[in-house]
Amino acid sequence: MLNINSIRKGIVIDHIKAGCGYKIFKQLGLHKADYSVALLKNVSSNAMGKKDIIKIENEINIDFTVLGIIDSNITVNVIEDEKIKEKIKLSIPKKVKGIFKCKNPRCITTVENIDEVEFILVNNENKEYKCEYCESRTSL
């Protein structure tokens, strides 16, 4: 039997689409963590059938924008004293900065080396964004 203890203080990332947990785990750099972290894959779920869960026993800063792009149905539970202090429901962001780089070689952002390029959501279903400068499309 698998036994994962509750955490005293930290974060539980729940309702991750089955199979996407490892991508989030790597994106957050948790594979390099020196504190307790658990990645649970294909956990039974009444609502989803199967889901992934990540438990982090540590205070870390999470980029909710990236998580929302990867899986907008995720719930982030902030844990204190082994109880849920706050539940954060994610959604796909309408605008993002500093996450994507424009793939268009003729875009001004590649010539001028602009760091914080804004991308605007143009296709919710495919999670496709367009560059604010040249309108080239990209996705994560």
Side-chain angles (χ1 to χ4, degrees):
M1 171 129 197
L2 179 65
N3 186 17
I4 305 291
N5 294 334
S6 62
I7 59 176
R8 291 177 193 215
K9 186 172 187 153
I11 295 170
V12 175
I13 304 171
D14 199 1
H15 304 110
I16 303 168
K17 185 172 137 188
C20 289
Y22 188 68
K23 184 176 185 179
I24 292 169
F25 196 83
K26 292 276 287 187
Q27 184 74 33
L28 296 176
L30 297 174
H31 59 294
K32 299 175 187 173
D34 61 351
Y35 43 84
S36 295
V37 179
L39 168 61
L40 304 160
K41 294 180 69 173
N42 299 314
V43 176
S44 294
S45 166
N46 291 334
M48 299 174 69
K50 288 185 178 182
K51 66 179 180 179
D52 292 354
I53 302 170
I54 298 173
K55 289 184 160 191
I56 307 162
E57 185 150 21
N58 196 20
E59 289 185 50
I60 65 168
N61 290 325
I62 292 182
D63 187 348
F64 294 122
T65 306
V66 172
L67 288 183
I69 294 170
I70 294 172
D71 186 349
S72 58
N73 297 312
I74 290 174
T75 303
V76 177
N77 298 313
V78 179
I79 309 296
E80 280 190 19
D81 298 322
E82 296 185 12
K83 294 183 178 117
I84 297 173
K85 177 186 172 190
E86 181 182 5
K87 276 188 179 251
I88 302 165
K89 183 74 174 124
L90 300 183
S91 61
I92 188 162
K94 304 295 181 210
K95 294 180 180 182
V96 295
K97 263 189 174 183
I99 293 174
F100 297 116
K101 290 194 183 274
C102 189
K103 296 176 184 175
N104 179 358
R106 291 177 280 151
C107 182
I108 188 72
T109 62
T110 58
V111 176
E112 295 294 325
N113 205 11
I114 301 169
D115 291 333
E116 295 281 319
V117 180
E118 186 171 81
F119 284 79
I120 299 130
L121 182 67
V122 290
N123 186 323
N124 223 13
E125 195 172 306
N126 296 333
K127 299 177 185 174
E128 193 174 43
Y129 289 82
K130 71 176 181 177
C131 173
E132 70 177 313
Y133 291 96
C134 72
E135 299 192 3
S136 244
R137 294 180 177 217
T138 191
S139 58
L140 192 60

